[in-house]
Amino acid sequence: MGSGNAIRGSRVGAGPMGEAERGEAAPRVRVSFWCANMHETRPSFASDAAVPEYWDCPRCGLPAGQDESAPPAPPRNEPYKTHLAYVKERRSDTDGAAILAEALERLRSNNRTPW
């Protein structure tokens, strides 16, 4: 015997059941993207939308492109550089010593003036 439930296959609070109530879905197109690890991702886009050149791979996070034979290269991760590291790239130790000596001399000459 049945349980007496008149509404089967639905739950309380369920929304409308079909496209007539929701309206028709926009036409879609699925595009394949491949990352450097050869993972394929197939997001769907509206048929009239512009498809991006790159897409982030949901499995590994690398950028993915539409060309399976030549996926984009992984980005280079450069270590964090301090301000001093950038200065040392532009100046040699002798340049730094000369600039320091000049700045110290300027400070010393400013302190000699009587008040």
Side-chain angles (χ1 to χ4, degrees):
M1 244 214 225
S3 66
N5 189 355
I7 305 174
R8 292 188 178 204
S10 181
R11 59 191 159 95
V12 176
M17 312 252 320
E19 286 199 10
E21 291 85 6
R22 288 181 286 163
E24 292 195 27
R28 314 287 291 170
V29 61
R30 293 183 71 85
V31 179
S32 292
F33 290 89
W34 287 271
C35 69
N37 292 331
M38 298 311 292
H39 299 140
E40 182 182 12
T41 305
R42 292 190 44 140
S44 64
F45 300 95
S47 60
D48 58 345
V51 177
E53 187 177 349
Y54 298 107
W55 193 261
D56 288 338
C57 177
R59 290 179 63 189
C60 63
L62 294 176
Q66 295 179 34
D67 186 3
E68 183 179 8
S69 61
R76 255 182 73 198
N77 290 333
E78 301 217 5
Y80 173 77
K81 284 187 186 179
T82 64
H83 178 70
L84 180 60
Y86 283 109
V87 170
K88 286 185 174 183
E89 284 181 358
R90 296 191 313 266
R91 309 268 187 200
S92 67
D93 288 340
T94 56
D95 290 342
I99 291 170
L100 178 61
E102 180 184 325
L104 288 174
E105 181 58 37
R106 215 176 313 137
L107 282 173
R108 290 181 185 129
S109 69
N110 286 342
N111 287 338
R112 288 185 198 146
T113 54
W115 293 98

